[in-house]
Amino acid sequence: MKTKAFIFTLLFGLLLSCGKAADYSPEFIKDTTGRYLFNANEVIEVYFNNNELFLKWRGAEKIEPMYLDENTYFIKEMNKKIQFLKHPETQVLYISEVPEDENAAITYNYKKLEDSVQVPSTYLKNEQYTKALEGYLAIQKEDSTSVFIKENGFNRLGYNKLREEKYKEAIEIFKINVALHPESDNVYDSLADAYVKNGDSLEAYNNYKKALQYNNGNRTAKRFVAAYNNK
């Protein structure tokens, strides 16, 4: 295993030193440019700049794949070799991971998306909250344990918006959390906090009361409801 690792490292260094460059045709650029579904909530974006291929992925705006040979690249951020391949049956373009075993079957890993198709995180980023919720509910239906619908993730994002004094955005994010986790006192408590910041005491009261239905020991909710009722 150490010998194989050494050989791979040596070959990798030689490839870097060779400085190979691709000469992309207009057809190749047109076909491959776009977004590819990495998972239910993330995409890989492929784009070209001055005839050079780049990727956007997980917050990195300019990942530069290393050109190995015709239509084969190494992406160090993923630690994978990839190719662009069309599925023989559907003719849909995919980013395909190149297996280490040359005899292994070809896999079609990351499907190219049509321009009109978005993942929930994109809708959320664009403040299209209704469509974002639809997407997250679809993910939840497929996998109720998905990391993309975790309560604490939306809670963290919502409170980030509160700290930025973007109260209406925080409210919409907490509403998504409520829809995904309707039996958690914490989601109602957080939504109520956002309504307080936004100056809507009635909606804050309604949501603190809802929080108490699921946790009658919620102290913040108890104090607010008591104070509201004593007005």
Side-chain angles (χ1 to χ4, degrees), residues 39-42 119-121 124 131-157 173-184 186-187:
N39 57 42
N41 200 38
E42 295 179 283
V119 293
S121 61
L124 192 63
K131 290 183 176 180
L133 175 57
E134 290 172 358
Y136 286 120
L137 286 172
I139 290 175
Q140 187 180 57
K141 186 176 180 180
E142 289 294 319
D143 179 9
S144 62
T145 64
S146 171
V147 297
F148 304 122
I149 57 168
K150 293 293 185 183
E151 178 184 329
N152 59 356
F154 288 102
N155 224 42
R156 192 181 309 114
L157 180 60
I173 291 166
F174 288 137
K175 281 182 177 179
I176 290 175
N177 218 11
V178 165
L180 292 170
H181 307 281
E183 296 183 359
S184 166
N186 186 52
V187 298

Side-chain angles (χ1 to χ4, degrees), residues 12-71:
F12 184 74
L14 288 171
L15 285 167
L16 279 174
S17 64
C18 288
K20 286 187 177 181
D23 184 17
Y24 300 110
S25 68
E27 291 77 17
F28 182 86
I29 292 174
K30 181 181 178 181
D31 287 346
T32 55
T33 296
R35 295 169 302 113
Y36 296 76
L37 188 63
F38 184 72
N39 57 42
N41 200 38
E42 295 179 283
V43 296
I44 303 168
E45 185 175 342
V46 174
Y47 68 100
F48 291 81
N49 186 15
N50 295 325
N51 204 47
E52 292 186 51
L53 171 65
F54 297 99
L55 306 180
K56 293 181 183 180
W57 181 62
R58 290 190 168 175
E61 293 291 314
K62 200 172 184 180
I63 295 172
E64 186 173 3
M66 185 176 67
Y67 176 77
L68 301 180
D69 58 38
E70 186 177 358
N71 195 32

Side-chain angles (χ1 to χ4, degrees), residues 82-186:
I82 63 105
Q83 293 179 328
F84 293 96
L85 296 178
K86 280 189 178 181
H87 194 284
E89 295 178 4
T90 64
Q91 293 301 300
V92 173
L93 191 66
Y94 283 77
I95 291 177
S96 172
E97 295 180 4
V98 179
E100 292 183 10
D101 183 355
E102 293 181 357
N103 297 317
I106 294 172
T107 58
Y108 298 89
N109 304 96
Y110 311 121
K111 179 181 179 180
K112 187 178 182 183
L113 298 174
E114 296 181 7
D115 292 342
S116 59
V117 177
Q118 303 288 351
V119 293
S121 61
T122 301
Y123 286 127
L124 192 63
K125 182 179 178 181
N126 294 337
E127 299 178 24
Q128 296 174 277
Y129 298 110
T130 300
K131 290 183 176 180
L133 175 57
E134 290 172 358
Y136 286 120
L137 286 172
I139 290 175
Q140 187 180 57
K141 186 176 180 180
E142 289 294 319
D143 179 9
S144 62
T145 64
S146 171
V147 297
F148 304 122
I149 57 168
K150 293 293 185 183
E151 178 184 329
N152 59 356
F154 288 102
N155 224 42
R156 192 181 309 114
L157 180 60
Y159 277 106
N160 286 342
K161 295 295 183 183
L162 286 185
R163 282 189 286 272
E164 295 169 2
E165 299 184 358
K166 297 178 179 179
Y167 304 138
K168 291 183 179 179
E169 291 179 27
I171 287 169
E172 295 300 328
I173 291 166
F174 288 137
K175 281 182 177 179
I176 290 175
N177 218 11
V178 165
L180 292 170
H181 307 281
E183 296 183 359
S184 166
D185 71 293
N186 186 52

